[in-house]
Amino acid sequence: MRRGGHIAALACALALVAAPAAHALPDCENASTPRDILTGQGTLESAIIDGRGHLYFTSSAAGGSLIKLRHEGAEPRPLVTGVASPGGLAFDDSGDLLMGYGDSILGGTTGTLDPQAGLLQINRRTGESELYADGLAMANGVARADDGTVFASDDVGIGIDRIAPDGTVENVWAEVISSNGMAVSPNQKWLYVAQTFQPAAVKRVLIDDPAQIENFFTAPPEDIAAGPDGMVRDRRGNIFVVANAYGELWRIDRKGIGCTVASGLGMASAVAIGHGNRNFKRRNLYVVDFDGRVIELANGTRARPAA
């Protein structure tokens, strides 16, 4: 979601919950120190890293854009520009990017009754794009299952949209209020969903029966206004989710136990896991924020709850 709309919506949400007295989620062992590797890129919404260790992020720059960064110190390359309110990112089987558009407060607010958002399919080398799906509520967060099913969230709405492998769209496939970042479990059974404008939590939805929705993680009372946003999972099923209002990154393990990987991340919006041993490396985590920063958390994937 774009920065101005996010701040306004977050202010409304915070008025509905008690102000946090103090940070309560404990620090992880091997907590990481943030390091800016790129600044001044506009308002950044989502991020993802491919198998070659190249970073892609969505930005408010150039009327809404998808930007590729091959390695630290490289010139950021706009792949697509002029996209209205770019949203979430995921890869398809061919390695193309699926990017949400229409990720705005107004669109999300009216999206359940009048869905105007959608997904573009983008060649990550050439930037060539085509429509992948339309008729979505917001496409704020995007996650893809191994069978080709795609899920799109609506963080100012009431549900998650589903795009079947044949392209059929099902609006409000699962009813999760203020859904944002998402990740599919390694066994493809569950869809994990961050809730932003609710008391901070992560739900999980049974993919074969979306009426079955469970609480997977609930933040401590002092952290209920943290605003969980973008999410990614590692190969072992651990979840990393940014806490936008607190400027933190949280790790939640497979048992639903959470800890703080890093703080001081501004209005962090998304997190990506590195790949390979070159460029954006596999042990590191990379966070983007609304102030246009790309932030490295060296060895961030090694963070663990304290014993």
Side-chain angles (χ1 to χ4, degrees):
M1 188 189 307
R2 289 175 297 178
R3 178 176 186 174
H6 197 295
I7 293 172
L10 186 58
C12 293
L14 296 184
L16 300 178
V17 297
H23 168 75
L25 199 67
D27 289 339
C28 301
E29 291 185 352
N30 302 320
S32 190
T33 300
R35 181 177 72 92
D36 289 1
I37 62 172
L38 188 65
T39 60
Q41 298 301 304
T43 300
L44 307 187
E45 175 62 29
S46 298
I48 198 168
I49 295 173
D50 68 16
R52 300 183 67 183
H54 299 153
L55 172 68
Y56 305 82
F57 55 88
T58 55
S59 171
S60 63
S65 56
L66 173 67
I67 297 174
K68 179 177 182 178
L69 187 66
R70 294 178 62 88
H71 56 81
E72 182 178 353
E75 185 71 20
R77 175 193 169 196
L79 284 179
V80 183
T81 60
V83 178
S85 303
L89 292 169
F91 289 113
D92 68 9
D93 282 340
S94 70
D96 286 348
L97 279 160
L98 303 178
M99 181 178 73
Y101 67 84
D103 176 26
S104 68
I105 286 286
L106 178 60
T109 302
T110 61
T112 300
L113 298 177
D114 183 24
Q116 297 292 319
L119 298 175
L120 297 176
Q121 183 176 17
I122 302 168
N123 185 302
R124 61 191 169 94
R125 296 179 180 85
T126 67
E128 294 180 0
S129 66
E130 61 183 7
L131 182 68
Y132 183 84
D134 59 5
L136 304 179
M138 194 173 184
N140 178 256
V142 177
R144 186 178 182 274
D146 287 349
D147 68 358
T149 302
V150 178
F151 305 96
S153 66
D154 179 359
D155 80 340
V156 292
I158 62 171
I160 298 165
D161 296 335
R162 175 184 182 271
I163 304 96
D166 67 1
T168 302
V169 172
E170 181 181 356
N171 296 118
V172 196
W173 163 79
E175 295 184 4
V176 178
I177 296 173
S178 191
S179 58
N180 200 316
M182 300 180 294
V184 178
S185 64
N187 64 7
Q188 304 295 294
K189 181 178 180 180
W190 298 98
L191 178 68
Y192 294 94
V193 186
Q195 289 183 290
T196 301
F197 303 123
Q198 295 283 293
V202 173
K203 303 286 191 186
R204 67 177 190 175
V205 181
L206 186 64
I207 291 176
D208 287 343
D209 180 9
Q212 185 173 328
I213 301 171
E214 301 178 356
N215 290 320
F216 178 68
F217 167 81
T218 301
E222 297 89 340
D223 291 339
I224 61 174
D229 202 324
M231 176 191 294
V232 69
R233 72 156 174 86
D234 66 16
R235 294 180 180 179
R236 297 180 180 179
N238 301 302
I239 290 169
F240 296 90
V241 58
V242 296
N244 179 276
Y246 281 13
E248 295 177 346
L249 177 66
W250 295 349
R251 178 189 186 271
I252 305 169
D253 70 14
R254 291 169 293 178
K255 297 180 180 179
I257 298 172
C259 61
T260 301
V261 177
S263 56
L265 302 176
M267 294 192 73
S269 53
V271 56
I273 296 176
H275 285 278
N277 294 315
R278 299 176 59 191
N279 305 321
F280 297 101
K281 298 178 182 179
R282 60 185 175 86
R283 293 190 180 93
N284 299 344
L285 298 170
Y286 297 90
V287 172
V288 296
D289 77 355
F290 288 163
D291 287 325
R293 298 188 298 164
V294 177
I295 304 163
E296 180 186 75
L297 301 174
N299 296 312
T301 59
R302 294 183 170 182
R304 300 289 187 274

